Amino acid sequence: GGMSASGQLGDLTAQDMYTVPGQPYEMVGLREDEQSLLTFQYNSPSDAERSRLRAAMQCDSSLRLRMSSVRVSYWHPAFMRTVSYLQDGVLGALVSATASTVVQVARSVLSNGAGEASAIALDVEVGSPLLLLPAEANSPDGLRADLGSIAIRNGLEWRAEPAKSDGSEASHALLDCISVTVGQMQLCALLPFVDDPEGADRQSSMIEDVSLHVSIERGLGISADRALAVAATGSELVCTCAKTQYDLLMLVAAHNLAGGADTITSHRSHDEKSASGEEHNPGKPTTFTLDFDLPLVAVSLFGAVPNASQDTQLALVTMYRLRVSSERHDDQSSALLIRLESLQITDAVNKGRRLLNSISMQPEGDGGEKAIIQMQYLQNLGSESDELQLRFNHLHLEWNPVTIAALLSFVRPSPRGASVAVVRDAKDSEGQDRMRLTASTLSPTEVVVEEHYTEAVRAVGGRGRGIDVRVQLEALSASLNFEGSGGQQLALFAMRELLAHVSMPPCGGMSASGQLGDLTAQDMYTVPGQPYEMVGLREDEQSLLTFQYNSPSDAERSRLRAAMQCDSSLRLRMSSVRVSYWHPAFMRTVSYLQDGVLGALVSATASTVVQVARSVLSNGAGEASAIALDVEVGSPLLLLPAEANSPDGLRADLGSIAIRNGLEWRAEPAKSDGSEASHALLDCISVTVGQMQLCALLPFVDDPEGADRQSSMIEDVSLHVSIERGLGISADRALAVAATGSELVCTCAKTQYDLLMLVAAHNLAGGADTITSHRSHDEKSASGEEHNPGKPTTFTLDFDLPLVAVSLFGAVPNASQDTQLALVTMYRLRVSSERHDDQSSALLIRLESLQITDAVNKGRRLLNSISMQPEGDGGEKAIIQMQYLQNLGSESDELQLRFNHLHLEWNPVTIAALLSFVRPSPRGASVAVVRDAKDSEGQDRMRLTASTLSPTEVVVEEHYTEAVRAVGGRGRGIDVRVQLEALSASLNFEGSGGQQLALFAMRELLAHVSMPPCGGMSASG
C-alpha cells in the first residue's frame, strides 16, 4: 500500500499570440539563469501507517517542492481573454470537470472519518517570482515587482479553544498550522528614457526589502467545521515616489489593470457568469477569517516646487498600524474591516511642519483600540443591499498653498492630448522592434489616464445590488495659512459630529439623511493673538442641522412628473447660527478661497454642484423635475461690530425662516409681441421670514456689563418672498421674485446713529483695516469670473414695503434729555429689477409719498410731498423715482432721477437739531456712553460724551470716499438725467409757531450729466 511520487518539470510557458499582431510575447516563463522550473517529491505510506499517524495527531503524508523563479508579464486584457477562453464551451466544461475531480479527491484524502484527520507535511520553497506590469502590451516600460523568496511549512497543533459568546463551553481543536514566509519583496518603476533607451538607471526603485508572514489555520477531523483563519503581518513599508513614477503607476492602472488600452472584450459580464452558475455556489466551503496588519506605511513624495531647479521632497505620508480584517461565511455573507490607527502628512516644503494630523480618540465599545479611520463593508446575499460604514475620527489640515499646489500638481494626470504614448523606433539586443514610452500626441485610439477612472469604477461594480452607506465624522478642522509666512494663520474652519446615511436600493432611487453637529470659522489674523468666532452656533443650540432627502426610482419619478408633482423631496431643519461679520476679514477669506489651487477646487466643486443640479432639475423638454421643499431655519444672529472682535456694534436677529413650494399650472396672458395666451408649469417657492429685529450694542464706559446696553431700533418685521421658476416646456420663462414686507417702524437715537455710521465706515467700508481684502474688478474680469454670457440670469424682482417710519431722537436747546426730533414716514417703497440673457438690466426704485413731521414744533409738517400722477404709468403715483439702466452693448450706464412736488418748512431749531444728529463726531471724539442722569422713571439715561480715540480708530467722514470707491470702479461711463417738477421752501422764524419770513420755489429743473469711460464730462439742462 501507499504511494510515492517524484519528478521535475523543465519549463512551462504561455505566450500571448493575439494582442500585438505579429509580435507574440511571453506571459509566463522562467526568469533568466534558471534551468528547470520545479522538482517535487510526494510520499504517502500505507493505510495502516496513515491511520497510526493520524491517531498520533501527526501528518500522514509529505510533499517537498522546489520551484525556481518565474517571470510573469501581466497584461490584464490578455489574461482575461485567456481565462474566458478556458471557461467557455467544451474546453470550459473539461477544465471545470477536471477541477471538480481534483477537489473531490483532495477532500477524500484530507478527511477520513469524523474523528480522524489527514494532513500533508509541507516543505515548499519558491524562488523570487518576478511580476511585470507593462504600461502597454509587450512594452518594457511599466512596473517591476520582485515578490521575494517564498517558504511554506506546517505543523499540527492541539489547541484549547475559549468559550464562545453564544454560551458554548470551552473545547479543544486540532489545527493544521501553515506558515508562509515571503522575504525581500521589491517594487521599481521601469521608466521611459528618450535620450538613453538602454540606460541602466531607467530602473527606479520605489519599495525595497519588504517581508511578509502569513499564518493559515484550518481545522482537521472533529474540528473540520472551524473557520479557515488567515493572519498576515508585514514589515515596515517605506516607499519613495517621484512624479515620473506616479504618472507611470497611473498609466499602468488605467491602460493595463482597468483595460483602458484594449479594445477587445476581455471577459464575460456578471450576468453571464451568474447564468452559467459559476459565480455563486452555496455548497462551496468558503467560511474563513482574514487579518492583515502593517505596523508602518511611509510614502515620500518628490516633485517640483517654485524656484527649485530639480525635484525635491514635497511630503512624507505616514500611516501607523494599517489593519485589514475579513470574514466570510457558508451563506456567502461577508464582512470587511479596514482600520488605520494614525495618519500624518509632514510638509517637507515648509521645514517639516505638519500638513495633516490625526488626533485619535478611543471609540466606544471597541476593546480600547484607537482608530482614526475605519471602513467596514458588510455583504449579506439574503438582503438586497450591501452596507458600507465609514468612520473618521479627529483630523486637522494645515492648508499651506505652495505645498498643496505642488501635491495637486503631483497627482494631476497629464493634460489632454499629451500623455505617455508608445512608439517603435529602436531595436532591442536581438534586433527586434522595441516598444518604449515617450511624450507625444495620442492617436485617436489612445486615451489619457483620466478618461479611464469611470471605466475602472464600472469594472469593479455593476453587480445589480443596492448599497447603504453610513458616514460618521467626529471632527475635521482646517487652518488656512498665508503663503510663505512660516505658518501664519488667516482663518480656522472646523466641523464636528457629521452623520450621514445614504441608501441606494437595487430598484433605483436614493434616500439620504443625517445631521451636522456644528460648523465654525475663526478669524485668526485680524486681531493678533485674539482669534474670534466669525461663524458658529448660538448659545443653547446643540446641533447645527438635520436633513432628509428622498428621490424615488426613475419609473416613479417619471410618473410623478407626468402627474405634475414634485419627484423628490428635501426636509431640512437648521438651528440658529451666529455670524460676527467683520467685512475685511470676510473679504480676505473669500479672496483666499478664490485664489490659487483652493480657488480652483472651490470653483470646480461649485461647477459640479450646478451641473448636477441642472441635470436633476431638467429632464427633457416635455418633463420637469422639482424638489418638494420643507425647510425651516432658526433665527440667524448677525453681529456687525464697530471694531474687529468688539462687543459694540449692531445686532440683527434675522427671525425664523421657512421655505415651502408647490407646482402650479397657470394660464399666461397674451404677450405684447402678439403671441397667443398659453399655460406655464411653475415651481412656486414661498419664503417666509418672521420677527426680524435690529438693535444697537452701545458701549458703556462706567458699566461695561450693563444689561441695558442693548438698545432696540427695529422690532418684529416680517417678510414674504415668492419665487416662480418655469419647468419643462416653460423652462425659458424668466425667474420671477416678488417680496413684500410688513410695516417697518424704526427708532433711532443719536447714539445709535453714530454707532450705525461707525459700523458703516469702519466695518462695511473697510476703513479700519489696512490689508487688501479682495482683488480688483480688473483682476476678476481678467480671470473670467464676473461676466459669463452663457449663464442663464434672466429674472425679475419686485420688492414692496407698504410703510417705513423712522423716529429720530436727539438733543435740542433747553432740554435736559434727548427728545424726539422728527418722524420720517415713507409710503409704499417699491424696488423693481429686470435682468436678461444679454446681461442688460434695469433697476427701478419708486416712493409714493414722503413726509417728515417736526416733533419739536408740535408735530407740524417739516417736509411734505405733493404726489402727481406721472404720465403713462398705469395711474400709479410716485414722489421720487430712480431708474438705473445697464446695457453691456454700450459703454455707459444710465441713471434717471425724478422728483415730483416737494415742500420744506425751514424751522431753524429743528433743522439745526437734525443736522447735529447726522453730523459725524468731530476728530478725536467718538461714541461712548455714560450714565449721569435719570429719566422720568428714575432709570439711567444714556447720552454721548467725547472720548479720545485710540490711534487705530478713524472718524466716519474720512471713509466716505473709500466707500464710494469700494462699490464703484468698474471702468464704465455713466449718463445721469435729473428731473425736478417743483420744490418750495418756507423760511420760518425761530420759535414763532410757524410765522414765515419768505417763501422760495423752483420748478421744471432738467439736467443731463454725461461722464464717458474715457474721461471728461458734459452737462446741460
Side-chain angles (χ1 to χ4, degrees):
M3 181 184 76
S4 64
S6 62
Q8 72 175 41
L9 176 61
D11 197 2
L12 176 65
T13 62
Q15 287 186 316
D16 178 11
M17 312 294 291
Y18 181 72
T19 302
V20 185
Q23 296 186 31
Y25 68 92
E26 192 173 72
M27 294 192 292
V28 180
L30 281 175
R31 292 183 67 170
E32 297 176 0
D33 302 327
E34 296 288 353
Q35 304 299 321
S36 178
L37 178 62
L38 62 86
T39 60
F40 67 92
Q41 185 175 349
Y42 173 76
N43 182 56
S44 176
S46 64
D47 290 344
E49 179 64 11
R50 291 182 65 198
S51 296
R52 186 190 67 79
L53 291 171
R54 286 196 295 267
M57 290 188 294
Q58 298 179 23
C59 294
D60 58 357
S61 57
S62 63
L63 172 65
R64 185 179 187 274
L65 176 69
R66 296 294 184 266
M67 185 172 177
S68 302
S69 300
V70 295
R71 177 183 181 274
V72 179
S73 180
Y74 185 86
W75 179 249
H76 182 74
F79 268 78
M80 289 299 100
R81 275 195 294 272
T82 306
V83 170
S84 178
Y85 192 98
L86 293 174
Q87 290 178 339
D88 284 340
V90 176
L91 183 58
L94 291 175
V95 171
S96 177
T98 303
S100 178
T101 301
V102 171
V103 170
Q104 290 176 8
V105 170
R107 287 179 179 171
S108 65
V109 170
L110 297 177
S111 179
N112 290 317
E116 296 180 338
S118 176
I120 300 177
L122 299 173
D123 179 11
V124 179
E125 293 183 3
V126 180
S128 304
L130 178 63
L131 176 63
L132 300 177
L133 296 169
E136 298 289 340
N138 198 17
S139 167
D141 306 314
L143 299 178
R144 181 183 187 274
D146 192 324
L147 302 185
S149 58
I150 303 173
I152 304 175
R153 305 285 190 275
N154 72 325
L156 301 188
E157 181 179 339
W158 184 252
R159 181 183 300 171
E161 298 273 70
K164 298 180 180 179
S165 58
D166 59 5
S168 57
E169 297 180 356
S171 61
H172 285 77
L174 179 59
L175 303 178
D176 181 8
C177 300
I178 305 172
S179 173
V180 181
T181 303
V182 183
Q184 295 181 322
M185 290 188 290
Q186 298 180 357
L187 175 68
C188 65
L190 303 177
L191 298 172
F193 280 82
V194 176
D195 297 333
D196 184 12
E198 305 303 331
D201 56 347
R202 65 187 300 270
Q203 181 171 309
S204 176
S205 178
M206 299 177 67
I207 299 174
E208 292 184 355
D209 297 336
V210 174
S211 61
L212 180 68
H213 180 262
V214 181
S215 173
I216 305 171
E217 296 178 352
R218 67 184 188 99
L220 298 178
I222 58 174
S223 308
D225 60 348
R226 187 182 189 270
L228 179 69
V230 180
T233 58
S235 63
E236 295 183 351
L237 193 156
V238 179
C239 172
T240 58
C241 183
K243 172 63 173 171
T244 52
Q245 297 168 325
Y246 176 82
D247 285 342
L248 190 61
L249 177 63
M250 291 296 100
L251 196 68
V252 167
H255 280 207
N256 185 340
L257 303 182
D262 201 84
T263 59
I264 304 161
T265 303
S266 57
H267 55 284
R268 293 169 296 166
S269 67
H270 174 270
D271 295 336
E272 292 173 331
K273 290 183 179 179
S274 298
S276 63
E278 296 171 7
E279 183 159 313
H280 173 53
N281 185 349
K284 293 181 180 179
T286 54
T287 300
F288 73 91
T289 63
L290 167 68
D291 282 288
F292 178 69
D293 204 337
L294 272 179
L296 171 70
V297 178
V299 182
S300 295
L301 304 179
F302 289 79
V305 294
N307 303 320
S309 59
Q310 60 183 8
D311 285 355
T312 185
Q313 185 176 11
L314 305 179
L316 173 62
V317 182
T318 309
M319 294 175 280
Y320 295 96
R321 199 178 178 199
L322 174 63
R323 183 178 180 186
V324 180
S325 303
S326 177
E327 293 183 2
R328 191 173 182 91
H329 307 283
D330 285 333
D331 60 0
Q332 298 296 300
S333 62
S334 62
L336 172 66
L337 178 65
I338 300 176
R339 297 168 60 92
L340 180 63
E341 181 175 314
S342 178
L343 172 64
Q344 296 178 359
I345 302 179
T346 303
D347 185 350
V349 178
N350 282 289
K351 301 178 182 179
R353 293 186 173 91
R354 193 62 51 80
L355 192 68
L356 178 69
N357 192 29
S358 60
I359 307 170
S360 300
M361 304 294 287
Q362 180 174 322
E364 297 179 4
D366 206 4
E369 294 186 16
K370 299 180 292 182
I372 186 63
I373 299 174
Q374 177 174 301
M375 184 193 83
Q376 189 171 18
Y377 188 85
L378 305 174
Q379 183 182 30
N380 186 353
L381 296 186
S383 66
E384 294 182 340
S385 297
D386 300 339
E387 184 173 343
L388 175 63
Q389 299 177 2
L390 298 172
R391 186 178 187 275
F392 302 90
N393 222 304
H394 290 61
L395 295 174
H396 177 72
L397 170 67
E398 294 284 337
W399 187 275
N400 300 323
V402 173
T403 306
I404 296 295
L407 289 175
L408 289 177
S409 177
F410 181 94
V411 301
R412 184 179 296 119
S414 303
R416 181 171 298 277
S419 183
V420 180
V422 178
V423 294
R424 296 189 187 95
D425 62 354
K427 302 291 183 179
D428 62 17
S429 58
E430 299 178 0
Q432 300 296 319
D433 286 330
R434 189 185 60 79
M435 304 179 72
R436 64 180 178 86
L437 298 176
T438 182
S440 67
T441 302
L442 290 176
S443 66
T445 59
E446 292 174 312
V447 189
V448 291
V449 176
E450 63 266 29
E451 291 182 346
H452 301 294
Y453 289 151
T454 304
E455 296 298 328
V457 172
R458 290 177 182 168
V460 299
R463 295 177 303 154
R465 291 179 55 82
I467 189 169
D468 283 342
V469 181
R470 300 178 184 273
V471 180
Q472 179 181 357
L473 171 65
E474 292 291 330
L476 173 65
S477 56
S479 174
L480 305 185
N481 303 329
F482 285 104
E483 182 174 326
S485 62
Q488 186 175 12
Q489 291 178 300
L490 170 68
L492 178 64
F493 288 84
M495 67 169 65
R496 62 175 177 84
E497 297 177 8
L498 171 64
L499 300 175
H501 176 208
V502 180
S503 178
M504 293 178 283
C507 59
M510 182 184 75
S511 63
S513 60
Q515 72 173 43
L516 177 60
D518 197 4
L519 177 65
T520 61
Q522 288 185 311
D523 178 10
M524 310 294 291
Y525 182 72
T526 302
V527 184
Q530 297 184 34
Y532 67 93
E533 192 173 72
M534 295 191 289
V535 179
L537 279 175
R538 293 182 67 171
E539 297 178 358
D540 302 327
E541 295 288 352
Q542 303 299 322
S543 179
L544 178 61
L545 62 86
T546 61
F547 66 92
Q548 185 174 349
Y549 172 78
N550 183 57
S551 176
S553 65
D554 291 342
E556 179 64 11
R557 292 184 66 196
S558 297
R559 185 191 67 80
L560 292 170
R561 287 194 296 266
M564 290 189 294
Q565 298 179 23
C566 294
D567 59 356
S568 56
S569 62
L570 173 65
R571 185 179 187 273
L572 176 68
R573 296 294 183 266
M574 185 172 177
S575 303
S576 300
V577 295
R578 178 182 181 274
V579 179
S580 181
Y581 186 86
W582 179 250
H583 182 74
F586 268 77
M587 288 299 100
R588 275 194 296 272
T589 306
V590 169
S591 178
Y592 192 101
L593 294 175
Q594 290 178 338
D595 283 340
V597 173
L598 185 56
L601 291 175
V602 172
S603 178
T605 303
S607 177
T608 301
V609 170
V610 170
Q611 290 176 5
V612 171
R614 287 179 181 172
S615 65
V616 169
L617 298 177
S618 178
N619 290 317
E623 295 183 336
S625 177
I627 301 176
L629 299 173
D630 179 12
V631 179
E632 292 183 5
V633 180
S635 304
L637 178 63
L638 176 63
L639 300 177
L640 296 169
E643 298 289 341
N645 198 19
S646 167
D648 308 319
L650 299 179
R651 181 183 188 274
D653 193 324
L654 303 184
S656 58
I657 302 172
I659 304 174
R660 306 284 189 277
N661 72 322
L663 302 189
E664 182 178 338
W665 184 252
R666 181 183 299 171
E668 298 273 71
K671 299 180 181 179
S672 58
D673 58 6
S675 57
E676 298 180 356
S678 60
H679 286 76
L681 179 59
L682 303 178
D683 182 10
C684 301
I685 305 172
S686 172
V687 182
T688 303
V689 184
Q691 296 181 320
M692 291 189 290
Q693 299 179 356
L694 175 67
C695 64
L697 302 176
L698 298 171
F700 280 88
V701 175
D702 297 336
D703 185 10
E705 303 300 328
D708 56 347
R709 66 187 298 270
Q710 182 171 309
S711 176
S712 178
M713 298 177 68
I714 299 175
E715 292 186 354
D716 298 336
V717 175
S718 62
L719 179 68
H720 179 262
V721 181
S722 174
I723 304 171
E724 296 178 353
R725 68 183 188 98
L727 299 177
I729 57 175
S730 308
D732 58 349
R733 186 182 189 269
L735 179 69
V737 180
T740 57
S742 62
E743 294 183 351
L744 193 157
V745 179
C746 172
T747 58
C748 184
K750 172 62 174 172
T751 53
Q752 297 168 327
Y753 176 82
D754 284 344
L755 191 60
L756 177 64
M757 291 296 100
L758 197 65
V759 168
H762 280 206
N763 186 339
L764 302 182
D769 201 84
T770 59
I771 304 162
T772 302
S773 58
H774 55 283
R775 292 172 295 167
S776 68
H777 173 271
D778 294 336
E779 290 173 330
K780 290 183 179 179
S781 299
S783 62
E785 296 172 3
E786 184 160 315
H787 173 55
N788 186 348
K791 293 183 180 178
T793 55
T794 300
F795 73 92
T796 62
L797 167 67
D798 282 289
F799 178 67
D800 204 336
L801 273 178
L803 171 68
V804 177
V806 182
S807 296
L808 305 179
F809 288 78
V812 295
N814 304 319
S816 60
Q817 60 183 10
D818 287 352
T819 185
Q820 186 176 11
L821 305 179
L823 173 63
V824 182
T825 309
M826 294 175 280
Y827 294 94
R828 198 177 180 201
L829 174 63
R830 184 178 181 185
V831 180
S832 303
S833 177
E834 292 184 3
R835 192 173 182 91
H836 306 283
D837 284 333
D838 61 359
Q839 300 294 300
S840 62
S841 62
L843 173 66
L844 178 65
I845 301 177
R846 297 168 59 93
L847 181 61
E848 182 177 309
S849 177
L850 173 63
Q851 296 178 0
I852 302 179
T853 302
D854 186 349
V856 178
N857 282 287
K858 302 178 180 179
R860 292 186 173 91
R861 193 62 50 82
L862 191 67
L863 179 69
N864 192 28
S865 59
I866 306 171
S867 301
M868 304 294 290
Q869 180 173 321
E871 298 178 4
D873 204 6
E876 294 186 14
K877 299 177 292 182
I879 185 63
I880 298 175
Q881 177 174 301
M882 184 193 81
Q883 189 170 18
Y884 188 85
L885 305 174
Q886 183 182 32
N887 185 353
L888 296 187
S890 65
E891 294 183 341
S892 298
D893 301 339
E894 184 174 344
L895 175 63
Q896 299 177 3
L897 297 173
R898 185 177 186 275
F899 302 90
N900 219 307
H901 290 62
L902 294 175
H903 176 73
L904 171 65
E905 295 285 336
W906 187 276
N907 300 322
V909 174
T910 306
I911 297 296
L914 290 175
L915 291 176
S916 176
F917 182 94
V918 300
R919 183 180 297 120
S921 302
R923 180 174 297 276
S926 182
V927 179
V929 178
V930 296
R931 296 193 183 94
D932 61 353
K934 303 290 184 179
D935 60 17
S936 58
E937 298 178 357
Q939 300 298 320
D940 287 328
R941 185 182 61 78
M942 298 184 297
R943 67 177 180 83
L944 290 178
T945 184
S947 66
T948 303
L949 288 173
S950 67
T952 60
E953 292 176 309
V954 188
V955 292
V956 176
E957 61 266 30
E958 290 183 346
H959 302 295
Y960 288 151
T961 304
E962 295 298 328
V964 172
R965 290 177 183 171
V967 298
R970 292 177 304 154
R972 292 178 55 82
I974 189 168
D975 284 341
V976 181
R977 300 178 184 272
V978 180
Q979 178 182 356
L980 173 63
E981 292 290 332
L983 173 63
S984 57
S986 174
L987 306 186
N988 303 328
F989 285 103
E990 182 176 331
S992 62
Q995 185 175 4
Q996 292 177 301
L997 169 66
L999 178 65
F1000 287 83
M1002 68 169 71
R1003 63 181 179 84
E1004 298 178 5
L1005 170 65
L1006 301 175
H1008 176 207
V1009 179
S1010 178
M1011 293 178 285
C1014 59
M1017 183 185 75
S1018 64
S1020 61

